[in-house]
């Protein structure tokens, strides 16, 4: 079984500043994937960034990047130059190869952007 | 194709009634997932289909829940004899087999059981 833990229920950052959201996970699988999803208020969940566990290089998507520490089972999300539109719930999720059980999500971090 | 769609977006029902939700995945996606999300929690996996075959069911999916994907396209999720504890957001997601790790989510159906 996989578990995902997000220890920050809420984070606040000033517009244009950088913020890091934490995530730890546990899995017995050797082949797995990690994701950050964004869920804006009353809107659907969208994929922000993903990381294949076999890749050592940290994934980057524009202002979003991850710090993947495989040995520590840590997968944090860094948002640079925060914008008002980044305000949302952010969920960390894991997925093992084979398709069984779907995604395992953490409880989420509510990100507030202060103008 | 504009993405995954779900219908209805909101459903209010009385305890003991049956409800059915529909999900239309992205047209070429052969995998379809159902999740349940309660307030303040992340989504929890319920079940998934590959084409028309239901391949996995979570222990969360009690006997009152049934899901179908009759022609490998849209899917329905039915809850019989609803209980107040069934109140939640029901999310559908779809993916391609070769990109099974990238799931696209619909807007969800919010169920309120009175």
């Amino acid at each position: 079984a996989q578990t995902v833990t997000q220890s920050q229920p809420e984070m606040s950052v000033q517009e244009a500043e950088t913020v890091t959201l934490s995530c730890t996970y546990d899995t017995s699988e050797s082949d797995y994937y990690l994701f950050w999803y964004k869920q804006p208020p009353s809107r659907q969940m969208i994929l922000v960034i993903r990381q294949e566990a076999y890749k050592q290089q940290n994934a980057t998507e524009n202002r979003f990047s991850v710090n993947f520490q495989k040995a520590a089972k840590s997968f944090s999300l860094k948002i640079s130059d925060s914008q008002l539109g980044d305000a949302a719930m952010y969920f960390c999720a894991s997925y093992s190869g084979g398709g069984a059980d779907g995604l395992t999500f953490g409880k989420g971090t509510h990100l507030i952007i202060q103008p | 194709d504009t993405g995954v769609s779900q219908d209805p977006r909101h459903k209010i029902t009385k305890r003991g009634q049956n409800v059915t939700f529909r999900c239309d995945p992205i047209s070429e996606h052969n995998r379809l997932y159902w999740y349940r999300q309660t307030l303040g929690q992340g989504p929890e996996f319920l079940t998934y289909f590959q084409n028309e075959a239901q391949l996995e069911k979570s222990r969360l999916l009690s006997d009152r829940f049934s899901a179908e994907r009759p022609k490998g396209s849209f899917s329905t999720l039915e809850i019989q004899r609803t209980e107040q504890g069934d109140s939640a957001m029901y999310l559908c997601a779809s993916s391609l087999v070769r990109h099974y790790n990238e799931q696209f989510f619909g807007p969800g159906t919010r169920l309120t059981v009175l």
Side-chain angles (χ1 to χ4, degrees), chain A residues 31 33 35 37 39 42-45 47 50 52 91 95-108, chain B residues 4 9 31 33 35 37 40-45 48 56-57 89 91 99-108:
Chain A
D31 178 24
Y33 303 80
F35 307 86
Y37 277 88
Q39 190 176 41
S42 301
R43 296 183 62 186
Q44 65 201 77
M45 196 166 309
L47 179 65
R50 73 175 186 191
E52 290 89 342
F91 292 97
Y95 188 91
S96 65
D101 293 346
L103 292 160
T104 299
F105 286 88
K107 290 187 175 183
Chain B
V4 179
R9 295 291 305 276
R31 285 198 175 176
Y33 298 81
Y35 293 84
Q37 185 178 21
Q41 303 293 319
E44 296 172 293
F45 168 77
Y48 95 97
E56 190 73 25
K57 291 196 286 187
M89 177 77 85
L91 299 171
H99 295 300
Y100 58 81
N101 50 321
E102 186 164 350
Q103 297 180 23
F104 295 81
F105 282 81

Side-chain angles (χ1 to χ4, degrees), chain A residues 8-68:
Chain A
Q8 305 156 317
E10 187 173 278
M11 292 284 285
S12 181
V13 64
Q14 290 289 128
E15 194 176 2
E17 296 294 307
T18 295
V19 64
T20 298
L21 308 184
S22 302
C23 173
T24 58
Y25 64 94
D26 193 16
T27 180
S28 57
E29 304 287 339
S30 58
D31 178 24
Y32 58 92
Y33 303 80
L34 298 166
F35 307 86
W36 280 97
Y37 277 88
K38 171 185 177 181
Q39 190 176 41
S42 301
R43 296 183 62 186
Q44 65 201 77
M45 196 166 309
I46 58 175
L47 179 65
V48 174
I49 198 166
R50 73 175 186 191
Q51 174 82 41
E52 290 89 342
Y54 62 86
K55 290 187 177 178
Q56 293 185 338
Q57 187 172 8
N58 289 325
T60 299
E61 289 287 343
N62 300 314
R63 298 183 295 107
F64 299 86
S65 61
V66 298
N67 184 5
F68 175 45

Side-chain angles (χ1 to χ4, degrees), chain A residues 6-15 17-23 36 76-79 82-83 86-90 108-114:
Chain A
Q6 294 179 251
S7 58
Q8 305 156 317
E10 187 173 278
M11 292 284 285
S12 181
V13 64
Q14 290 289 128
E15 194 176 2
E17 296 294 307
T18 295
V19 64
T20 298
L21 308 184
S22 302
C23 173
W36 280 97
S76 60
L77 174 69
K78 185 171 83 171
I79 306 174
S82 298
Q83 301 175 0
D86 295 334
M89 284 294 293
Y90 285 81
T109 296
H110 180 210
L111 179 63
I112 298 168
I113 310 295
Q114 305 279 6

Side-chain angles (χ1 to χ4, degrees), chain B residues 50-89:
Chain B
Q50 182 161 316
N51 300 313
E52 65 276 7
Q54 188 173 16
L55 297 185
E56 190 73 25
K57 291 196 286 187
S58 161
R59 286 172 293 178
L60 293 174
L61 212 66
S62 76
D63 291 345
R64 297 183 297 105
F65 288 69
S66 62
E68 293 182 343
R69 195 183 182 197
K71 297 183 179 178
S73 56
F74 73 91
S75 175
T76 58
L77 177 68
E78 181 184 17
I79 308 174
Q80 296 183 327
R81 305 180 304 281
T82 52
E83 302 173 355
Q84 287 186 325
D86 297 332
S87 295
M89 177 77 85

